[in-house]
Amino acid sequence: MEAIGNSLAFALYYLGFPLLAIANDNDASMTLFMVGWIIFLLGSFINTGSELLRKTFKDNPENKGKLYTGGLFHYAIHINYFGDCLWVLGLAILTNNFFSLFIPLGLLLLFVTSYIPNHDKYLQDKYGDQFIEYKKSTKKLIPFIW
């Protein structure tokens, strides 16, 4: 199911954002353009950086059966999803079309209502007490907030 959702999401990003940008008659300000790029790059760094750090940890045989709580995952259990939300928000801002903001909002709702609960259950089943302790001291999605 996640594979289908991801495929549809990327189709929306690669087709929807350009179409929404083309449909916009407003001239974008340089400030808005820079804010969009900064948020996009920050989100890309958070998503990719967190996944690369976790992969390095998981590739080490000494860590077999251990839950990764380091790197950016120290700040939020689903920090990679937070990065996704940011880079998609950055793209939405770059279109300079108000309706583009519904795309990152929809992604956030999908994460909060489906992906996060499902992954929390998976992590709980796989790591048990390790995950229970981790989630007691770690925000769920947004560092320092939730």
Side-chain angles (χ1 to χ4, degrees), residues 28-39:
S29 71
M30 183 56 78
T31 302
L32 193 62
F33 181 78
M34 294 303 296
V35 167
W37 268 108
I38 289 168
I39 293 173

Side-chain angles (χ1 to χ4, degrees), residues 26-80:
N26 300 328
D27 290 330
S29 71
M30 183 56 78
T31 302
L32 193 62
F33 181 78
M34 294 303 296
V35 167
W37 268 108
I38 289 168
I39 293 173
F40 172 80
L41 291 172
L42 179 64
S44 297
F45 170 78
I46 290 171
N47 176 270
T48 304
S50 65
E51 293 290 0
L52 289 173
L53 291 170
R54 179 167 56 186
K55 181 180 180 340
T56 302
F57 176 85
K58 291 290 188 182
D59 286 348
N60 184 342
E62 294 176 9
N63 295 325
K64 185 170 177 61
K66 294 179 184 175
L67 176 65
Y68 179 63
T69 61
L72 297 174
F73 285 94
H74 172 76
Y75 299 101
I77 296 169
H78 304 284
I79 193 76
N80 50 335

